[in-house]
Amino acid sequence: MSRLRAFLDASPVAAVALSLMREATGRAEPLAPIMPARPAALRRGERVGFWSLCGGVGSSTVAALVAHRSAAGGEAPLLADLDRWAPSLALRAGLSAATIADALLQPGRERELVSRWSAVAFLPGAPSLNHGFDALRLVAVIDACAAGRAAVLDLGAGADALDPALLASLGRLCLVTGTRAGQLQAAFCAVPLLRTAPCAVGLVVVGAEGDDAARIADRIGVPLLAAIPTDPYLADDSFAARAPTLRAVDTLLRALA
Ligand SMILES: Nc1ncnc2c1ncn2[C@@H]1O[C@H](COP(=O)(O)OP(=O)(O)OP(=O)(O)O)[C@@H](O)[C@H]1O
Ligand SMILES: [Mg+2]
């Protein structure tokens, strides 16, 4: 496909198509590809966490999109919901299955308890995780379930989700923010909490285009990984996304590579 595309791009057909497009749309720049290119995949063994100080910014959604897109680009990662107050990914997946709390109770059987959400290996969360939270045991469960694959962790929201042992197991922590005043305020307030994080930290802005997201990252002082646009399908709570959203997730995956 890419060889055919390269051939067509180099042929006079491309120049004719471009001038027809300019005439019809008045736009000088080439149209973005309608079909997203093959996504990048997380490296084997890579571990990425998604977190926000305040809830409702789109953190779980971005974590799930990253896991699914990465699965489409290579080996499917493990997606684990570690939100110990309001785990929501199983609801999003339409799944009722064994949870990470079950895996903690059955040492040696963790891998049998992993479910599938399409191609992604998925470990749903449990509110009971909140009682006697033991980060080292959680990391051991995730190690066992990931079995060398990449892992995407939804850490939930709030300061107490930033457990040092959990953070130490990550290659990257993605601070996720929305663009509403309260959400941006929370992102600013999150920065001091992340200063001593033992892993690299990057920013994902949901509901913004690239330029605005770059300005937000600049002001917050955390490197921008990606800007995820507002997506009417995601806003409607269906787990489907438009092509520009998938391209933004691909940008995020490349930034995480
Ligand atoms: N890119 C987007 N465009 C539009 N709506 C979105 C987008 N991403 C997420 N949403 C919607 O925003 C809401 C919150 O998303 P999500 O549950 O991922 O946030 P969260 O930060 O994990 O929140 P919580 O604190 O509940 O864990 C959901 O209804 C979701 O469908
Ligand atoms: Mg969430």
Side-chain angles (χ1 to χ4, degrees):
M1 180 67 193
S2 58
R3 280 171 65 190
L4 177 63
R5 169 95 189 256
F7 168 76
L8 286 173
D9 281 351
S11 79
V13 175
V16 174
L18 209 56
S19 68
L20 283 176
M21 182 275 289
R22 283 181 182 139
E23 213 165 286
T25 65
R27 289 173 55 169
E29 77 279 15
L31 292 172
I34 292 168
M35 285 294 290
R38 183 179 169 82
L42 293 170
R43 271 196 318 271
R44 206 173 151 67
E46 178 63 289
R47 200 155 294 184
V48 191
F50 290 83
W51 174 81
S52 58
L53 184 56
C54 73
V57 297
S59 185
S60 299
T61 305
V62 178
L65 287 170
V66 161
H68 281 85
R69 250 346 241 171
S70 180
E75 186 186 37
L78 171 75
L79 172 65
D81 191 344
L82 303 187
D83 187 325
R84 47 180 140 149
W85 297 104
S88 61
L89 285 177
L91 213 60
R92 218 66 199 283
L95 258 174
S96 171
T99 68
I100 190 147
D102 298 316
L104 278 168
L105 290 174
Q106 300 183 50
R109 285 199 57 218
E110 300 92 343
R111 287 176 69 179
E112 296 165 40
L113 300 178
V114 175
S115 294
R116 292 234 144 246
W117 179 3
S118 303
V120 170
F122 176 48
L123 201 48
S128 60
L129 211 58
N130 175 33
H131 308 295
F133 187 83
D134 184 339
L136 286 174
R137 285 192 59 214
L138 268 180
V139 171
V141 165
I142 290 158
D143 284 345
C145 294
R149 293 174 292 194
V152 178
L153 310 182
D154 178 358
L155 301 181
D160 65 352
L162 293 179
D163 184 280
L166 213 48
L167 294 192
S169 76
L170 299 178
R172 186 98 62 148
L173 175 67
C174 298
L175 166 63
V176 184
T177 184
T179 57
R180 291 177 182 275
Q183 296 169 339
L184 291 172
Q185 164 77 349
F188 276 104
C189 293
V191 172
L193 302 175
L194 298 172
R195 253 184 216 127
T196 54
C199 57
V201 178
L203 184 72
V204 177
V205 184
V206 177
E209 296 301 325
D211 287 356
D212 287 339
R215 271 191 287 273
I216 290 168
D218 202 42
R219 296 286 290 276
I220 293 177
V222 175
L224 181 67
L225 297 171
I228 310 292
T230 300
D231 187 308
Y233 293 130
L234 293 174
D236 198 27
D237 264 346
S238 46
F239 192 67
R242 298 172 59 212
T245 308
L246 297 181
R247 280 198 292 276
V249 176
D250 292 348
T251 303
L252 176 52
L253 277 166
R254 282 192 293 273
L256 292 170

